Amino acid sequence: MSVKTEVKREKKDNNSTEKKSRLWAYKKLGFSKPETAEIVNTLNQLLANYHVHYQKLRNYHWNVKGPDFFDIHEKFEEQYNQAKLNIDDIAERIRVFGYTPMSTLKEYLENSEIKETGSDMEGMSMVREILNDFEILLGYMVNVADAAIDVGDVGTENMINGFVEEMEKSHWMFTAFASKD
């Protein structure tokens, strides 16, 4: 074998190794365990709060009554359908990092700042509860975005930015609905 052939083979082997290491780094997303742990922690906190919020929306959808029934019954359904999609995205993002998301009602209730309420509430009280939940959820979304930004996790940051935009619009609409002006 000539020296030229050995150099080509060595160069090919080095390129192959380099490609494999880049591929491996991509599969691991290039984040260390401590970096992903903080992102996953904030995502799990958001997940727990989102689940309790989701269940409140279902409760309110099923049990709203009064003169605003037709308006808010439908809006609560739209909100819980969106929440269900966001919850799935959050859990799947946690799986991307190789962790297991919180997944039991017990975990959600223990870790959520958002609390359950009863069913016997007036429609406008339900709307005010949901507005409060939006503010809590937005705070947790900011925590996730901050953790993602700190390590350069553009995927999580983009996902959360989309959630924030949707929730800010919903907050505005529910606030307008609940205003007495």
Side-chain angles (χ1 to χ4, degrees):
M1 183 180 317
S2 74
V3 174
K4 206 177 200 180
T5 307
E6 276 185 47
V7 170
K8 270 187 175 179
R9 180 174 287 153
E10 187 177 311
K11 191 173 184 179
K12 184 178 179 183
D13 289 343
N14 286 342
N15 285 342
S16 177
T17 303
E18 188 178 315
K19 283 181 184 178
K20 284 181 184 177
S21 68
R22 279 194 312 238
L23 181 60
W24 179 250
Y26 177 74
K27 284 182 181 178
K28 293 185 116 283
L29 301 175
F31 302 115
S32 69
K33 275 292 196 185
E35 290 169 334
T36 57
E38 180 59 26
I39 294 167
V40 168
N41 180 49
T42 59
L43 284 168
N44 263 321
Q45 291 301 309
L46 178 58
L47 182 64
N49 279 279
Y50 236 131
H51 259 284
V52 177
H53 171 71
Y54 168 79
Q55 191 54 45
K56 280 172 74 173
L57 288 164
R58 298 291 304 231
N59 173 13
Y60 295 170
H61 170 75
W62 293 329
N63 295 301
V64 68
K65 53 190 169 211
D68 298 317
F69 172 84
F70 289 105
D71 295 325
I72 23 187
H73 176 77
E74 185 177 317
K75 288 298 176 193
F76 288 152
E77 183 174 13
E78 288 173 17
Q79 288 296 310
Y80 75 66
N81 283 329
Q82 186 61 54
K84 181 174 62 174
L85 295 173
N86 292 357
I87 286 166
D88 193 55
D89 286 345
I90 294 164
E92 288 176 352
R93 191 68 188 166
I94 292 168
R95 293 298 299 153
V96 162
F97 294 116
Y99 289 85
T100 302
M102 281 187 209
S103 57
T104 66
L105 295 175
K106 181 180 179 188
E107 288 174 305
Y108 299 146
L109 291 170
E110 288 173 352
N111 290 282
S112 178
E113 182 179 340
I114 295 174
K115 300 300 176 201
E116 294 180 302
T117 62
S119 311
D120 194 23
M121 297 172 68
E122 292 182 5
M124 291 313 271
S125 294
M126 292 175 176
V127 169
R128 283 189 290 279
E129 270 293 313
I130 295 307
L131 282 168
N132 187 56
D133 288 1
F134 286 162
E135 292 171 15
I136 292 168
L137 286 166
L138 285 164
Y140 282 97
M141 289 176 189
V142 168
N143 292 344
V144 173
D146 285 346
I149 289 166
D150 285 347
V151 298
D153 175 11
V154 177
T156 300
E157 182 186 0
N158 286 339
M159 178 184 75
I160 294 301
N161 285 340
F163 294 170
V164 168
E165 288 177 21
E166 290 170 2
M167 190 156 289
E168 286 175 340
K169 185 174 181 180
S170 294
H171 187 278
W172 160 64
M173 290 180 170
F174 273 80
T175 301
F177 178 79
S179 77
K180 300 206 188 271
D181 296 336

